Amino acid sequence: SMRRSCVLLASAAVAATRGGLLQHLQQSRGSTLKNARRALSEYVYHARMMDYYAQNDTAVCNEFPRARFILMLDRKALVSVDKETGETHLIEMDYEVLKNRLEEWGFELSLENSVFLDLQKAERRRTAEGVEEYEGVFGTALRSAATPPAGSPVSIDAIREEMASSFNGRFMDLRRAMLVMRDEQERNRLAKLQSLSSWSSSFRRCPSCGGALIRRQSKTAAECPSCRKHHYPTFSPVSITLIRDPADTHALLVRHRGSVPGVFTCVAGFAMTGETLSQCAKREVAEEVGIEASWIRQLDVSQPWPMPDSSLMIGHEAIANMNDKVQVCPDELEAARWFSRAEVAEALKRTEEDPHLKGLPRDANLRNDLLYVPPQGAIAHRLIKQWVEKDQTKRD
């Protein structure tokens, strides 16, 4: 079993006892732990440890029962939501707490259904000199084995709700959680959990020879024992573009077909083979709103996004002529309009005051009115906010 394999790995690796990862780093670098850490910035130290964990199954197995965990069930994240402010955070817990609670609900906590996500400083772990050590952060992704039959008085949603209550939280749809969580680190961890758990559960055979793959315990790679090829999780680059006019007083925002009413966002689309991201941004503007952007600039804003599959969204800014006729692509958009900075600022303010969009219009006639922009967890929110606040920066 997976658990037995980890025990064997642990017992076979004397260097992988408490602090074993760092001891290995000492040996490979020919230096002591103390000197190795002092010689590097915290960021570099963290980056090298992350790389080591990604490649070392023994280190992952040994850290697993000592780590902290986040949980996802049926693509729903376990979160806490402040009743007054609506602030949403992932619930993080120790191994023993999660293991015991899951067993009460018929689930098993194992490396098979878990992903190594991150390392974070731990107040509870300190060196003899009082320096905080790092602890692992894992994510566990579970699926309900079965749902109650049709006509049953018990619903799967009710069962999930009761289970979440036992953790003093709630299960929130993955997309919604990504949109409303303010903390970028939490969003990135959740995106990584979904992307790697999906990849590791579906990518099981070698595309070259068809042999069964052996996955790293971190779920960051897989190796084919037959042809010795290594395979890594892939993601798709996506351009997302804030379109403005040359005078920088108006922005062109769009509302996608089938999206919630009253919410406008930026133009976005997947990059195609053989084109740059800037070319992708310009093409997507042309395809979706039927105008040609005269200027494209890539911004220092990006976001991992795990839906529908793993992608990386990269922010752009474009300039287009307001006099050019907007011709929406009917397959993708329901509306596209130029809005003044004041109109966008009002929608932005409403969104920040109501991040869960509880005030969405019920009147179908208002569906194409600019009432909200995407919530704070979306890269579109940041692009729009940067553009709105740019005018204030100029005045200051």
Side-chain angles (χ1 to χ4, degrees), residues 74-337:
D74 298 332
R75 288 174 58 96
K76 297 180 185 293
L78 181 64
V79 300
S80 63
V81 182
D82 188 282
K83 293 181 180 179
E84 295 184 1
T85 65
E87 281 284 327
T88 303
H89 295 281
L90 294 173
I91 293 179
E92 190 180 294
M93 68 202 87
D94 291 336
Y95 170 85
E96 287 296 335
V97 173
L98 180 58
K99 175 178 176 292
N100 294 334
R101 199 67 53 81
L102 289 181
E103 287 177 351
E104 295 174 4
W105 291 92
F107 291 102
E108 180 183 8
L109 175 60
S110 69
L111 270 168
E112 182 67 24
N113 55 29
S114 300
V115 172
F116 170 67
L117 299 176
D118 202 357
L119 291 166
Q120 64 186 15
K121 286 187 176 181
E123 176 66 30
R124 59 182 179 171
R125 297 191 198 175
R126 288 185 176 271
T127 65
E129 294 78 17
V131 179
E132 287 180 321
E133 294 183 345
Y134 284 92
E135 64 181 355
V137 179
F138 287 75
T140 299
L142 304 173
R143 286 200 174 274
S144 302
T147 58
S152 170
V154 179
S155 70
I156 186 63
D157 291 333
I159 295 173
R160 275 195 295 257
E161 184 178 345
E162 186 177 350
M163 180 177 174
S165 296
S166 70
F167 289 99
N168 295 318
R170 57 183 285 194
F171 284 111
M172 182 177 288
D173 177 75
L174 177 63
R175 178 182 293 276
R176 183 178 177 189
M178 288 290 296
L179 287 172
V180 301
M181 285 195 300
R182 187 186 299 273
D183 188 277
E184 182 178 20
Q185 183 183 61
E186 290 186 318
R187 294 196 305 267
N188 290 352
R189 285 178 176 177
L190 183 57
K192 186 175 182 179
L193 171 56
Q194 167 59 25
S195 296
L196 291 188
S197 61
S198 176
W199 177 80
S200 63
S201 63
S202 60
F203 196 79
R204 293 183 173 273
R205 292 201 168 267
C206 177
S208 299
C209 71
L213 295 172
I214 299 176
R215 292 167 296 167
R216 289 181 185 166
Q217 300 291 4
S218 61
K219 309 300 189 297
T220 57
E223 181 183 1
C224 178
S226 299
C227 65
R228 313 306 299 177
K229 287 189 176 181
H230 289 81
H231 303 277
Y232 301 90
T234 59
F235 60 88
S236 303
V238 175
S239 69
I240 179 167
T241 307
L242 186 289
I243 308 168
R244 65 174 179 87
D245 69 316
D248 203 13
T249 59
H250 288 73
L252 178 60
L253 302 179
V254 302
R255 180 172 168 267
H256 289 99
R257 182 167 295 283
S259 64
V260 293
V263 180
F264 278 74
T265 185
C266 301
V267 168
F270 290 96
M272 298 177 66
T273 303
E275 69 179 359
T276 66
L277 282 168
S278 294
Q279 290 170 339
C280 171
K282 186 168 185 174
R283 173 181 54 76
E284 286 293 337
V285 171
E287 288 180 358
E288 293 197 9
V289 296
I291 59 178
E292 181 178 351
S294 60
W295 177 85
I296 300 281
R297 179 169 69 97
Q298 186 172 318
L299 305 174
D300 186 22
V301 182
S302 60
Q303 178 181 31
W305 192 254
M307 299 157 288
D309 296 307
S310 183
S311 61
L312 179 64
M313 305 186 74
I314 301 98
H316 290 76
E317 182 182 21
I319 294 178
N321 192 336
M322 284 184 65
N323 294 325
D324 291 347
K325 183 180 179 181
V326 174
Q327 303 178 69
V328 301
C329 174
D331 294 334
E332 297 191 36
L333 302 181
E334 187 166 330
R337 288 164 49 199

Side-chain angles (χ1 to χ4, degrees), residues 4-18:
R4 183 177 299 172
S5 298
C6 286
V7 170
L8 291 174
L9 280 170
S11 61
V14 177
T17 55
R18 182 178 177 85

